[in-house]
Amino acid sequence: MGTPLGDFIRARRDAIQPEALGLPARHRRRSPGLRRVDLASLAGISVEYLTRIEQGRDNNPSPAVVNAIGDALGLDTSERGHMLYLTKITGGGCPSHNRPAPPDREVPPTVLRTLGLLEPGAAAVTNRLGDLLARTRGFDAVFAGTGLLEETGADGGFPNLTRYVFTDPRARELFPDWGTVADEQAFDLWTAPSRESAEWMGAELAPVAGAEFTDRLQRHMLPRRGVLAVAHPAAGALRWHRELLELSAGDQQLLVLLPADEATEAAAARLRDRAVVVADR
């Protein structure tokens, strides 16, 4: 059975073509990417030791070994930081409990006041599990009728973007680049407040989301967050810039959606006006 660190190294190795590192192409291979023996050679470690790390039989490689593997894989700063985090949790650097508790979902009053200042824009307070803990009326106006705001957890609590993406068929229609959005949501589970929180969400999602979720969770694909495309059921094609601001409260973040073009800005205004009319009835 593998570990988060082993899964990450294996996924990165599979994604690298030998030619990209100046190695000869090897044909008739059973698996894609860089051979284990080649990565071990580039990192200056034995193939047996690399095998133990990938298979989870050595959970505490030294910082020098981890850095050497990162150099051999050509990891960028973000990828290297994620690998170091996975090294920590694989080696038991994060505390564990028999029954992990869900994260704190209480939004401080000061954060709620900050959110109110962003009206009528589209903004929400989230955590890395995808819970929408608080939203502006502008956010509700944009996503009303998409199914996102209807999604609640097993406890009947907050709408959850991750659950929506992986379990609601409407998500594939709402997000034209569904695969990228799914990669983002799966990766964010690894950066939750603790490994326990990620496992708590994974245990709830995996049985209903299936391989689309678990495969992405194990790939550790760092997302390149660009413009978010939305195919709105009433407003048509929308494009949003996203600003994600870390908050001092727990592991909460402030998500702000900014129109990426004039058409989106005009459509958002129409959606807000429509929401006001409906509310006044």
Side-chain angles (χ1 to χ4, degrees):
M1 182 176 180
T3 62
L5 175 62
D7 290 343
F8 176 81
I9 293 173
R10 189 166 52 252
R12 287 297 170 274
R13 181 167 60 79
D14 288 347
I16 295 176
Q17 296 304 314
E19 308 92 283
L21 299 180
L23 298 172
R26 303 180 187 275
H27 303 289
R28 298 179 182 176
R29 294 201 52 218
R30 290 179 297 174
S31 58
L34 193 65
R35 295 193 311 173
R36 189 177 282 151
V37 64
D38 291 329
L39 176 58
S41 176
L42 290 169
I45 61 177
S46 70
V47 68
E48 291 80 9
Y49 187 30
L50 178 61
T51 301
R52 293 203 303 273
I53 294 173
E54 288 193 359
Q55 293 180 349
R57 293 186 285 119
D58 189 318
N59 295 337
N60 291 285
S62 69
V65 168
V66 174
N67 286 328
I69 293 174
D71 290 340
L73 290 171
L75 302 183
D76 62 24
T77 301
S78 297
E79 292 169 329
R80 192 179 295 267
H82 184 59
M83 184 171 71
L84 292 174
Y85 169 74
L86 296 179
T87 302
K88 181 179 179 181
I89 65 174
T90 295
C94 296
S96 60
H97 308 283
N98 291 331
R99 182 166 183 165
D104 183 11
R105 290 181 168 89
E106 183 176 354
V107 181
T110 53
V111 174
L112 293 175
R113 289 174 59 189
T114 302
L115 189 65
L117 295 175
L118 296 174
E119 294 283 11
V125 178
T126 73
N127 58 28
R128 295 185 187 275
L129 299 185
D131 290 321
L132 298 175
L133 305 178
R135 297 112 54 186
T136 61
R137 290 186 297 275
F139 188 95
D140 282 358
V142 169
F143 289 101
T146 66
L148 172 59
L149 304 181
E150 304 166 15
E151 291 291 321
T152 58
D155 58 357
F158 300 93
N160 183 280
L161 178 58
T162 307
R163 186 183 301 105
Y164 172 75
V165 166
F166 284 104
T167 66
D168 194 317
R170 290 171 291 186
R172 295 176 184 263
E173 299 176 2
L174 182 66
F175 301 116
D177 194 1
W178 181 88
T180 298
V181 175
D183 284 341
E184 293 174 358
Q185 296 307 123
F187 178 80
D188 280 349
L189 294 182
W190 285 110
T191 58
S194 65
R195 183 180 181 182
E196 287 70 42
S197 292
E199 290 175 346
W200 173 82
M201 188 65 171
E204 180 181 329
L205 262 185
V208 292
E212 289 277 23
F213 170 68
T214 55
D215 289 351
R216 284 179 163 83
L217 194 64
Q218 294 168 3
R219 272 209 315 263
H220 300 277
M221 183 63 67
L222 275 72
R224 311 296 184 187
R225 303 178 197 270
V227 172
L228 176 66
V230 171
H232 195 278
L238 307 177
R239 300 176 69 251
W240 301 93
H241 293 301
R242 291 171 289 176
E243 290 293 338
L244 199 58
L245 309 177
E246 299 292 335
L247 300 174
S248 59
D251 195 52
Q252 296 175 8
Q253 302 164 304
L254 178 61
L255 170 65
V256 182
L257 299 180
L258 302 169
D261 51 42
E262 293 182 358
T264 299
E265 186 169 8
R270 290 193 297 271
L271 290 171
R272 290 194 298 268
D273 291 342
R274 180 182 303 174
V276 170
V277 171
V278 171
D280 287 344
R281 288 178 179 172

PDB file of all heavy atoms in Angstrom, residues 34 40 49 85 116 136-138 145 160 163-164 183 193 199 226 242 248-250 264 278:
ATOM      1  N   LEU A  34       9.091   8.129 -16.710  1.00  0.00           N
ATOM      2  CA  LEU A  34      10.479   7.871 -16.333  1.00  0.00           C
ATOM      3  C   LEU A  34      10.572   6.567 -15.544  1.00  0.00           C
ATOM      4  O   LEU A  34       9.785   6.324 -14.627  1.00  0.00           O
ATOM      5  CB  LEU A  34      10.986   9.043 -15.485  1.00  0.00           C
ATOM      6  CG  LEU A  34      12.478   9.160 -15.210  1.00  0.00           C
ATOM      7  CD1 LEU A  34      13.236   9.403 -16.512  1.00  0.00           C
ATOM      8  CD2 LEU A  34      12.729  10.276 -14.212  1.00  0.00           C
ATOM      9  N   ALA A  40      16.176   7.064  -9.816  1.00  0.00           N
ATOM     10  CA  ALA A  40      17.118   6.763  -8.735  1.00  0.00           C
ATOM     11  C   ALA A  40      18.525   7.215  -9.109  1.00  0.00           C
ATOM     12  O   ALA A  40      19.256   7.790  -8.280  1.00  0.00           O
ATOM     13  CB  ALA A  40      17.090   5.265  -8.427  1.00  0.00           C
ATOM     14  N   TYR A  49      16.052   1.693  -2.650  1.00  0.00           N
ATOM     15  CA  TYR A  49      15.579   2.678  -1.680  1.00  0.00           C
ATOM     16  C   TYR A  49      14.410   3.471  -2.248  1.00  0.00           C
ATOM     17  O   TYR A  49      13.404   3.715  -1.570  1.00  0.00           O
ATOM     18  CB  TYR A  49      16.729   3.608  -1.300  1.00  0.00           C
ATOM     19  CG  TYR A  49      16.405   4.578  -0.176  1.00  0.00           C
ATOM     20  CD1 TYR A  49      15.494   4.250   0.819  1.00  0.00           C
ATOM     21  CD2 TYR A  49      17.022   5.813  -0.109  1.00  0.00           C
ATOM     22  CE1 TYR A  49      15.201   5.128   1.848  1.00  0.00           C
ATOM     23  CE2 TYR A  49      16.743   6.707   0.922  1.00  0.00           C
ATOM     24  CZ  TYR A  49      15.829   6.347   1.892  1.00  0.00           C
ATOM     25  OH  TYR A  49      15.536   7.222   2.906  1.00  0.00           O
ATOM     26  N   TYR A  85       5.502  18.824   2.327  1.00  0.00           N
ATOM     27  CA  TYR A  85       4.335  18.650   3.182  1.00  0.00           C
ATOM     28  C   TYR A  85       3.922  17.179   3.237  1.00  0.00           C
ATOM     29  O   TYR A  85       3.628  16.640   4.306  1.00  0.00           O
ATOM     30  CB  TYR A  85       3.186  19.513   2.658  1.00  0.00           C
ATOM     31  CG  TYR A  85       1.848  19.225   3.306  1.00  0.00           C
ATOM     32  CD1 TYR A  85       1.584  19.631   4.601  1.00  0.00           C
ATOM     33  CD2 TYR A  85       0.866  18.526   2.617  1.00  0.00           C
ATOM     34  CE1 TYR A  85       0.361  19.359   5.204  1.00  0.00           C
ATOM     35  CE2 TYR A  85      -0.358  18.249   3.204  1.00  0.00           C
ATOM     36  CZ  TYR A  85      -0.612  18.666   4.498  1.00  0.00           C
ATOM     37  OH  TYR A  85      -1.809  18.383   5.080  1.00  0.00           O
ATOM     38  N   GLY A 116     -19.555  41.594   3.998  1.00  0.00           N
ATOM     39  CA  GLY A 116     -20.626  42.525   3.680  1.00  0.00           C
ATOM     40  C   GLY A 116     -20.151  43.725   2.892  1.00  0.00           C
ATOM     41  O   GLY A 116     -20.906  44.286   2.085  1.00  0.00           O
ATOM     42  N   THR A 136     -21.962  36.406  -0.126  1.00  0.00           N
ATOM     43  CA  THR A 136     -22.659  37.649  -0.397  1.00  0.00           C
ATOM     44  C   THR A 136     -23.940  37.346  -1.168  1.00  0.00           C
ATOM     45  O   THR A 136     -24.097  36.272  -1.768  1.00  0.00           O
ATOM     46  CB  THR A 136     -21.797  38.601  -1.234  1.00  0.00           C
ATOM     47  OG1 THR A 136     -21.502  37.963  -2.501  1.00  0.00           O
ATOM     48  CG2 THR A 136     -20.497  38.958  -0.534  1.00  0.00           C
ATOM     49  N   ARG A 137     -24.854  38.297  -1.154  1.00  0.00           N
ATOM     50  CA  ARG A 137     -26.063  38.138  -1.974  1.00  0.00           C
ATOM     51  C   ARG A 137     -25.685  38.102  -3.450  1.00  0.00           C
ATOM     52  O   ARG A 137     -26.354  37.451  -4.254  1.00  0.00           O
ATOM     53  CB  ARG A 137     -27.033  39.282  -1.683  1.00  0.00           C
ATOM     54  CG  ARG A 137     -27.657  39.209  -0.290  1.00  0.00           C
ATOM     55  CD  ARG A 137     -28.728  40.267  -0.093  1.00  0.00           C
ATOM     56  NE  ARG A 137     -28.179  41.626  -0.182  1.00  0.00           N
ATOM     57  CZ  ARG A 137     -27.622  42.268   0.841  1.00  0.00           C
ATOM     58  NH1 ARG A 137     -27.526  41.682   2.035  1.00  0.00           N
ATOM     59  NH2 ARG A 137     -27.152  43.495   0.693  1.00  0.00           N
ATOM     60  N   GLY A 138     -24.607  38.805  -3.811  1.00  0.00           N
ATOM     61  CA  GLY A 138     -24.144  38.769  -5.194  1.00  0.00           C
ATOM     62  C   GLY A 138     -23.685  37.381  -5.606  1.00  0.00           C
ATOM     63  O   GLY A 138     -23.908  36.956  -6.744  1.00  0.00           O
ATOM     64  N   GLY A 145     -29.900  28.543  -8.984  1.00  0.00           N
ATOM     65  CA  GLY A 145     -30.367  27.767 -10.124  1.00  0.00           C
ATOM     66  C   GLY A 145     -29.353  26.823 -10.726  1.00  0.00           C
ATOM     67  O   GLY A 145     -29.655  26.115 -11.685  1.00  0.00           O
ATOM     68  N   ASN A 160     -21.317  22.597  -0.324  1.00  0.00           N
ATOM     69  CA  ASN A 160     -19.913  22.228  -0.454  1.00  0.00           C
ATOM     70  C   ASN A 160     -19.545  22.107  -1.924  1.00  0.00           C
ATOM     71  O   ASN A 160     -20.122  21.294  -2.665  1.00  0.00           O
ATOM     72  CB  ASN A 160     -19.646  20.904   0.273  1.00  0.00           C
ATOM     73  CG  ASN A 160     -18.184  20.517   0.235  1.00  0.00           C
ATOM     74  OD1 ASN A 160     -17.695  19.996  -0.757  1.00  0.00           O
ATOM     75  ND2 ASN A 160     -17.479  20.791   1.320  1.00  0.00           N
ATOM     76  N   ARG A 163     -18.045  18.570  -3.042  1.00  0.00           N
ATOM     77  CA  ARG A 163     -19.088  17.548  -3.188  1.00  0.00           C
ATOM     78  C   ARG A 163     -19.913  17.798  -4.447  1.00  0.00           C
ATOM     79  O   ARG A 163     -20.254  16.869  -5.185  1.00  0.00           O
ATOM     80  CB  ARG A 163     -19.983  17.536  -1.945  1.00  0.00           C
ATOM     81  CG  ARG A 163     -21.001  16.414  -1.942  1.00  0.00           C
ATOM     82  CD  ARG A 163     -21.920  16.495  -0.724  1.00  0.00           C
ATOM     83  NE  ARG A 163     -21.186  16.419   0.514  1.00  0.00           N
ATOM     84  CZ  ARG A 163     -20.946  17.464   1.320  1.00  0.00           C
ATOM     85  NH1 ARG A 163     -21.402  18.659   1.003  1.00  0.00           N
ATOM     86  NH2 ARG A 163     -20.264  17.314   2.425  1.00  0.00           N
ATOM     87  N   TYR A 164     -20.231  19.056  -4.680  1.00  0.00           N
ATOM     88  CA  TYR A 164     -21.020  19.415  -5.861  1.00  0.00           C
ATOM     89  C   TYR A 164     -20.289  19.016  -7.142  1.00  0.00           C
ATOM     90  O   TYR A 164     -20.882  18.411  -8.047  1.00  0.00           O
ATOM     91  CB  TYR A 164     -21.283  20.920  -5.844  1.00  0.00           C
ATOM     92  CG  TYR A 164     -21.931  21.474  -7.087  1.00  0.00           C
ATOM     93  CD1 TYR A 164     -23.286  21.265  -7.354  1.00  0.00           C
ATOM     94  CD2 TYR A 164     -21.195  22.230  -7.993  1.00  0.00           C
ATOM     95  CE1 TYR A 164     -23.881  21.788  -8.484  1.00  0.00           C
ATOM     96  CE2 TYR A 164     -21.781  22.757  -9.130  1.00  0.00           C
ATOM     97  CZ  TYR A 164     -23.120  22.536  -9.376  1.00  0.00           C
ATOM     98  OH  TYR A 164     -23.704  23.052 -10.502  1.00  0.00           O
ATOM     99  N   ASP A 183      -9.650  18.863 -10.500  1.00  0.00           N
ATOM    100  CA  ASP A 183      -8.269  18.767 -10.023  1.00  0.00           C
ATOM    101  C   ASP A 183      -8.024  19.752  -8.877  1.00  0.00           C
ATOM    102  O   ASP A 183      -7.363  19.425  -7.887  1.00  0.00           O
ATOM    103  CB  ASP A 183      -7.284  19.055 -11.157  1.00  0.00           C
ATOM    104  CG  ASP A 183      -7.150  17.898 -12.130  1.00  0.00           C
ATOM    105  OD1 ASP A 183      -7.515  16.752 -11.768  1.00  0.00           O
ATOM    106  OD2 ASP A 183      -6.680  18.132 -13.263  1.00  0.00           O
ATOM    107  N   PRO A 193      -6.604  21.868   6.973  1.00  0.00           N
ATOM    108  CA  PRO A 193      -5.899  22.153   8.219  1.00  0.00           C
ATOM    109  C   PRO A 193      -5.046  20.994   8.722  1.00  0.00           C
ATOM    110  O   PRO A 193      -4.053  21.204   9.392  1.00  0.00           O
ATOM    111  CB  PRO A 193      -7.029  22.455   9.213  1.00  0.00           C
ATOM    112  CG  PRO A 193      -8.196  22.819   8.380  1.00  0.00           C
ATOM    113  CD  PRO A 193      -8.044  22.117   7.088  1.00  0.00           C
ATOM    114  N   GLU A 199      -8.878  13.413   5.290  1.00  0.00           N
ATOM    115  CA  GLU A 199      -9.371  12.044   5.331  1.00  0.00           C
ATOM    116  C   GLU A 199     -10.856  12.003   5.684  1.00  0.00           C
ATOM    117  O   GLU A 199     -11.603  11.160   5.187  1.00  0.00           O
ATOM    118  CB  GLU A 199      -8.551  11.237   6.342  1.00  0.00           C
ATOM    119  CG  GLU A 199      -7.123  10.973   5.867  1.00  0.00           C
ATOM    120  CD  GLU A 199      -6.289  10.284   6.930  1.00  0.00           C
ATOM    121  OE1 GLU A 199      -6.725  10.262   8.099  1.00  0.00           O
ATOM    122  OE2 GLU A 199      -5.202   9.797   6.585  1.00  0.00           O
ATOM    123  N   GLY A 226      -6.440  29.436 -13.420  1.00  0.00           N
ATOM    124  CA  GLY A 226      -6.601  30.541 -14.346  1.00  0.00           C
ATOM    125  C   GLY A 226      -7.995  31.121 -14.253  1.00  0.00           C
ATOM    126  O   GLY A 226      -8.652  31.052 -13.211  1.00  0.00           O
ATOM    127  N   ARG A 242     -10.299  34.929 -10.157  1.00  0.00           N
ATOM    128  CA  ARG A 242     -10.503  34.528  -8.766  1.00  0.00           C
ATOM    129  C   ARG A 242      -9.368  35.040  -7.890  1.00  0.00           C
ATOM    130  O   ARG A 242      -8.193  34.863  -8.218  1.00  0.00           O
ATOM    131  CB  ARG A 242     -10.558  33.001  -8.664  1.00  0.00           C
ATOM    132  CG  ARG A 242     -11.790  32.387  -9.282  1.00  0.00           C
ATOM    133  CD  ARG A 242     -11.676  30.882  -9.347  1.00  0.00           C
ATOM    134  NE  ARG A 242     -10.697  30.448 -10.343  1.00  0.00           N
ATOM    135  CZ  ARG A 242     -10.353  29.178 -10.552  1.00  0.00           C
ATOM    136  NH1 ARG A 242     -10.898  28.232  -9.816  1.00  0.00           N
ATOM    137  NH2 ARG A 242      -9.476  28.872 -11.482  1.00  0.00           N
ATOM    138  N   SER A 248      -7.218  34.868   8.922  1.00  0.00           N
ATOM    139  CA  SER A 248      -6.576  34.466  10.176  1.00  0.00           C
ATOM    140  C   SER A 248      -7.413  33.464  10.948  1.00  0.00           C
ATOM    141  O   SER A 248      -6.923  32.806  11.865  1.00  0.00           O
ATOM    142  CB  SER A 248      -6.325  35.702  11.049  1.00  0.00           C
ATOM    143  OG  SER A 248      -7.541  36.383  11.331  1.00  0.00           O
ATOM    144  N   ALA A 249      -8.671  33.329  10.601  1.00  0.00           N
ATOM    145  CA  ALA A 249      -9.578  32.423  11.312  1.00  0.00           C
ATOM    146  C   ALA A 249      -9.418  30.993  10.806  1.00  0.00           C
ATOM    147  O   ALA A 249      -9.838  30.672   9.694  1.00  0.00           O
ATOM    148  CB  ALA A 249     -11.018  32.882  11.137  1.00  0.00           C
ATOM    149  N   GLY A 250      -8.802  30.150  11.604  1.00  0.00           N
ATOM    150  CA  GLY A 250      -8.677  28.741  11.242  1.00  0.00           C
ATOM    151  C   GLY A 250      -8.047  28.563   9.877  1.00  0.00           C
ATOM    152  O   GLY A 250      -7.033  29.166   9.554  1.00  0.00           O
ATOM    153  N   THR A 264     -19.383  39.479 -18.863  1.00  0.00           N
ATOM    154  CA  THR A 264     -19.636  38.850 -17.572  1.00  0.00           C
ATOM    155  C   THR A 264     -20.121  39.873 -16.557  1.00  0.00           C
ATOM    156  O   THR A 264     -21.041  39.599 -15.771  1.00  0.00           O
ATOM    157  CB  THR A 264     -18.363  38.157 -17.052  1.00  0.00           C
ATOM    158  OG1 THR A 264     -17.961  37.140 -17.984  1.00  0.00           O
ATOM    159  CG2 THR A 264     -18.590  37.525 -15.690  1.00  0.00           C
ATOM    160  N   VAL A 278     -37.145  38.863  -7.562  1.00  0.00           N
ATOM    161  CA  VAL A 278     -37.703  37.644  -6.983  1.00  0.00           C
ATOM    162  C   VAL A 278     -37.883  37.815  -5.479  1.00  0.00           C
ATOM    163  O   VAL A 278     -38.893  37.409  -4.903  1.00  0.00           O
ATOM    164  CB  VAL A 278     -36.798  36.427  -7.282  1.00  0.00           C
ATOM    165  CG1 VAL A 278     -37.262  35.207  -6.489  1.00  0.00           C
ATOM    166  CG2 VAL A 278     -36.790  36.141  -8.775  1.00  0.00           C
TER     167      VAL A 278
END
